[in-house]
Every structure is written in C-alpha cells, then in structure tokens.
Amino acid sequence: MMGQQYLEEHRLKPDSATRRVIAKCCNSAMFLDFTKGHWLSMFRNRFPTGAPPLEMRVMTKERRVGVELADGMPNYSGHSGKFMLKLIAAWIAMGFRRPEITLGKTFQRAQ
C-alpha cells in the first residue's frame, strides 16, 4: 500500500484498452489493466511470501524463444476453460461491474 506515487501507466496508443503500470522509481512492471475487462494481470513477484499458490499459466504461446516452463504447473497456450469459468464467477460476484482502477493514472507522456 506504500509507494503509489511512483506508479505510472503506459499505453501503446492513447486509446489502447490495455495499460501497463510500472513503478517509475525502479522501472519495475507492477500490473496490466485491461480496461474493458474486470480483472488485472498481476506479476507474481510483487506479492509477499505466503500468497496463494499459482494454479496455471495462460497465454504461454507468447513467451520468448528459449523460455522453458518445466515445473509441473499446467501451461495453456491461450485461456483455459477453468480460467474462463473463474473469471465469469468473479464477474458475477462483482454484480457484473468493473471497478475503476486509478493506480498509475497520474502520468501523462508528452507526445
């Protein structure tokens, strides 16, 4: 909860639906926000010890050449059915709403 003043968003184009939020103090990626969806893609190393274990990897077809994923965790080249069911269940629990994520919205890059 500390350091929010260091977060800034970056988009490939001003109207891109996906924004990447980094910590400008150390240039570390913090999360991806798909603004048309109801979820964030978080980077696992940003969580403290004791966070729930990972269950699967999705979108692995986009990984760099030479990156091996050999730890026994299920890897899906796209989105798995289990993943989609979890997203839909979460959206139902949220009342089909999408909360506004304001973290990182303070930075505006000069054109």
Side-chain angles (χ1 to χ4, degrees):
M1 295 309 299
M2 296 176 4
Q4 293 179 24
Q5 70 274 19
Y6 299 112
L7 299 179
E8 64 183 31
E9 73 174 29
H10 296 272
R11 296 177 189 247
L12 295 177
K13 298 181 288 186
D15 60 344
S16 291
T18 303
R19 64 187 193 107
R20 291 145 177 86
V21 177
I22 66 159
K24 61 185 176 183
C25 56
C26 58
N27 205 31
S28 295
M30 301 305 287
F31 62 88
L32 302 174
D33 179 16
F34 179 61
T35 60
K36 292 183 179 178
H38 62 280
W39 67 91
L40 294 175
S41 295
M42 308 289 291
F43 290 87
R44 178 64 175 169
N45 290 342
R46 304 303 175 251
F47 289 96
T49 304
L54 297 175
E55 297 178 29
M56 69 183 88
R57 291 187 187 96
V58 296
M59 306 302 291
T60 59
K61 70 180 175 184
E62 303 296 329
R63 70 183 181 273
R64 290 182 299 232
V65 174
V67 173
E68 296 297 324
L69 306 172
D71 60 4
M73 184 179 311
N75 299 302
Y76 300 95
S77 62
H79 293 106
S80 73
K82 181 179 177 181
F83 176 77
M84 295 307 293
L85 285 173
K86 285 184 172 221
L87 279 179
I88 291 169
W91 196 31
I92 291 168
M94 295 166 63
F96 299 103
R97 294 186 309 268
R98 183 206 190 278
E100 183 178 4
I101 309 298
T102 59
L103 293 172
K105 287 195 173 185
T106 58
F107 175 77
Q108 292 193 358
R109 175 178 281 167
Q111 296 294 330

